[in-house]
Amino acid sequence: MGKQVTEMLKGVLEGIVLAILSGRSAYGYEITAWLREQGFSDIAEGTVYALLIRVEQRGLVDVAKVPSEKGPPRKVYSLNARGRDHLEEFWRTWSFLTERLDKLREGGK
Amino acid sequence: MGKQVTEMLKGVLEGIVLAILSGRSAYGYEITAWLREQGFSDIAEGTVYALLIRVEQRGLVDVAKVPSEKGPPRKVYSLNARGRDHLEEFWRTWSFLTERLDKLREGGK
DNA sequence: GCCGCTACTCAGCTTTACTAGGTACCGGTA
DNA sequence: TACCGGTACCTAGTAAAGCTGAGTAGCGGC
């Protein structure tokens, strides 16, 4: 990926992670691995952990500590009601953006 | 608009402005006004000017100073070849992002 | 003579992602 | 036993891009 994606991710990555958590609970390491599989090849681990801490502090997710067979205990995150609201708001904003961009793309040629 | 759009605009606003310039030349004040009409209600003026200076310094646009009837002279920007390349690259990155997000949205319910 | 619109500029702040480390637990192998 | 690789998390410092808020300046109309 290029630097361009990096900048575009600002404000979007949080929505992506919340969207992942809306499907099922997950922990940081897992989310990072999943993102890499999906083509977000160079998202730094630290970025995901920092983001998770941020959304936790804002009360958008619940956390449970679950022991792992191989390594330190996992911090499993799940979306709560507030997080679900926030995610909906994210999708609305995202739709707004994509609509404008689609129009621009057509109009611009 | 909310703070959410603000963060999402990072990395995207530049593409939006380049896309506008791909259709026709324009100057800062005009671009700001146009963005506001399109629903980007609280994009700060300073933001647009700063962005224009940035893309100019990176050689993506050409600049011409044109006297105005009512106010200081306008700096009219137009997309050059490099800018056009950059814009194409932007659209590719944008498509990549929207594809992932669309999938997530469906999958997440 | 001043108000409002046009038009651009600048310094300082915030947010979010990156870099580049580090801690720690486990199993397998030399 | 000693180490390595995979799992799992955390932190401090940096950079980029947008915002806030203020300032400069020309023009026309009441």
Side-chain angles (χ1 to χ4, degrees), chain B residues 9-10 13 44 47 54 69:
Chain B
L9 278 178
K10 298 199 177 184
L13 185 57
T47 300
R54 232 152 42 224
E69 297 143 18

Side-chain angles (χ1 to χ4, degrees), chain A residues 6 9-11 13 42 44 47 51 54 69 71-72:
Chain A
T6 286
L9 277 178
K10 300 206 173 178
L13 185 57
D42 45 37
T47 299
L51 191 156
R54 235 155 36 223
E69 297 143 15

